C-alpha cells in the first residue's frame, strides 16, 4: 500500500476537475499504509491534500479571468 502522496492517483488532476465544475463539498481518501502511526499519516495526508487544493484554487482559470 502507498501513502496518499506516493500513490498512483493524481490529486492535482482530481482537484482541477472538481474546481472546474464548481464542486465545493467533501472528498475522501484512503491510506492503508502502515509505515507510520495513524496520527502521523492523518496529519501528513491532510497537510498534503490541503496544499494541493490551495494550489488548484490559485491556478484556476476563473481567477485568471478576474485578474
Amino acid at each position: 500500500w502507498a501513502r496518499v502522496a506516493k500513490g498512483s492517483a493524481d490529486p492535482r488532476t482530481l482537484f482541477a476537475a472538481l474546481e472546474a465544475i464548481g464542486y465545493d463539498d467533501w472528498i475522501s481518501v484512503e491510506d492503508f499504509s502502515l509505515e507510520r502511526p495513524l496520527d502521523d499519516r492523518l496529519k501528513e495526508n491532510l497537510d498534503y491534500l490541503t496544499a494541493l487544493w490551495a494550489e488548484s484554487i490559485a491556478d484556476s482559470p476563473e481567477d485568471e479571468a478576474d485578474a
Side-chain angles (χ1 to χ4, degrees), residues 5-28:
K6 302 295 183 187
S8 60
D10 180 7
R12 285 180 176 87
T13 302
L14 170 66
F15 289 161
L18 292 174
E19 177 69 16
I21 64 168
Y23 185 82
D24 187 21
D25 211 342
W26 291 92
I27 64 163
S28 64

Side-chain angles (χ1 to χ4, degrees), residues 3-54:
R3 298 186 326 234
V4 171
K6 302 295 183 187
S8 60
D10 180 7
R12 285 180 176 87
T13 302
L14 170 66
F15 289 161
L18 292 174
E19 177 69 16
I21 64 168
Y23 185 82
D24 187 21
D25 211 342
W26 291 92
I27 64 163
S28 64
V29 297
E30 295 179 342
D31 179 344
F32 295 109
S33 66
L34 299 175
E35 300 167 357
R36 300 173 61 203
L38 178 60
D39 289 345
D40 293 348
R41 286 180 282 149
L42 288 171
K43 180 177 181 346
E44 177 185 287
N45 291 333
L46 181 59
D47 291 347
Y48 172 70
L49 293 171
T50 300
L52 290 183
W53 182 252

